[in-house]
Amino acid sequence: MILHLAFASLLAAAPPAADAALEAAARRTFAFRVHLREDAVRVKARNGVVTLTGTVENPFHRALAEETVLGLAGVRSVRNRLILRAEAPPAAGDAWLEAKVRAALRYRRHLEAGTLRVEVKEGVATLTGEVGSEAERDLAASTAEDVDGIKAVRNGLTVRRDGPRSVAEQVDDATLTAQVKAMLLTHKGTRMLATRVRTVRGVVTLRGRARSWRERALAGQVAWEVRGVKRVVNRMTVRGSPRPP
């Protein structure tokens, strides 16, 4: 009898296989392995409800962790209890703008942002580091300029002599969904959109309502520019216009 109760107690204490699989899936995502690797994020699932605890560098990482987990199959909801290592920077402050620019550079297609440095002072972003080509140099500057809140960009990037380096690692669907959402919220032209994003095997589907066909097209372009996106299906509607002009 005692052995039976002890065995039953062990079974009750052990996490269900589905929840353990969710926890492992979250840790395997590109977002957790690459973007959040310097943060201390703990993942705990129970009956499909995932709780995130620990510390992150900035509010952008806090949102990225939550959105990535929400994109995993089998997740019912997320309780985000992550806290910042330091006091949260003001939403319009330079530290917050730096975080947004760094994220935009990391997520951007055709841009290797691992060695790029960003400093923002009074809304002016200064970029330093090395890129593989003049095209990447210009792309980095334009990406920073498109971040909401950035007033100007000083481009101090230099071009490596050995040219561009390829990045072959594939980004998973949950991370792509989180990155597309982040880019849409960060971009000056799409930050006000209430866009729903779903990704299946690298194909991103956008839903929601835009204020104009131009805004709708911009949302699709911003999503396409995220590294790892294979195709964008834009099913957003436009207020007061049932079909394209």
Side-chain angles (χ1 to χ4, degrees), residues 84-139:
L84 304 176
R85 291 189 205 138
E87 185 179 352
D94 288 339
W96 176 231
L97 288 176
E98 281 184 15
K100 292 202 292 184
V101 172
R102 288 194 191 98
L105 294 173
R106 284 199 302 265
Y107 303 164
R108 186 64 189 264
R109 183 189 299 271
H110 306 312
L111 185 60
E112 300 170 37
T115 61
L116 304 191
R117 295 180 294 278
V118 181
E119 182 180 358
V120 178
K121 188 172 183 180
E122 297 181 355
V124 178
T126 300
L127 308 181
T128 56
E130 291 186 334
V131 291
S133 65
E134 285 291 342
E136 279 191 54
R137 185 177 185 275
D138 295 339
L139 180 60

Side-chain angles (χ1 to χ4, degrees), residues 40-117:
V41 180
R42 295 184 293 275
V43 183
K44 183 66 177 177
R46 184 173 184 181
N47 298 325
V49 177
V50 178
T51 301
L52 301 177
T53 57
T55 58
V56 291
E57 179 184 1
N58 55 58
F60 213 96
H61 283 194
R62 187 177 188 273
L64 177 64
E66 178 176 345
E67 292 292 347
T68 300
V69 173
L70 276 173
L72 295 173
V75 172
R76 294 168 53 202
S77 63
V78 176
R79 296 172 180 170
N80 194 340
R81 294 174 180 167
L82 293 169
I83 60 175
L84 304 176
R85 291 189 205 138
E87 185 179 352
D94 288 339
W96 176 231
L97 288 176
E98 281 184 15
K100 292 202 292 184
V101 172
R102 288 194 191 98
L105 294 173
R106 284 199 302 265
Y107 303 164
R108 186 64 189 264
R109 183 189 299 271
H110 306 312
L111 185 60
E112 300 170 37
T115 61
L116 304 191
R117 295 180 294 278

Side-chain angles (χ1 to χ4, degrees), residues 178-209:
Q179 291 183 171
V180 170
K181 286 182 179 180
M183 289 292 276
L184 289 170
L185 289 172
T186 297
H187 196 284
K188 292 176 180 176
T190 58
R191 66 184 181 88
M192 300 301 293
L193 287 175
T195 310
R196 298 188 300 277
V197 182
R198 184 169 182 264
T199 307
V200 178
R201 296 178 182 176
V203 178
V204 173
T205 299
L206 304 180
R207 298 180 187 273
R209 184 172 293 184

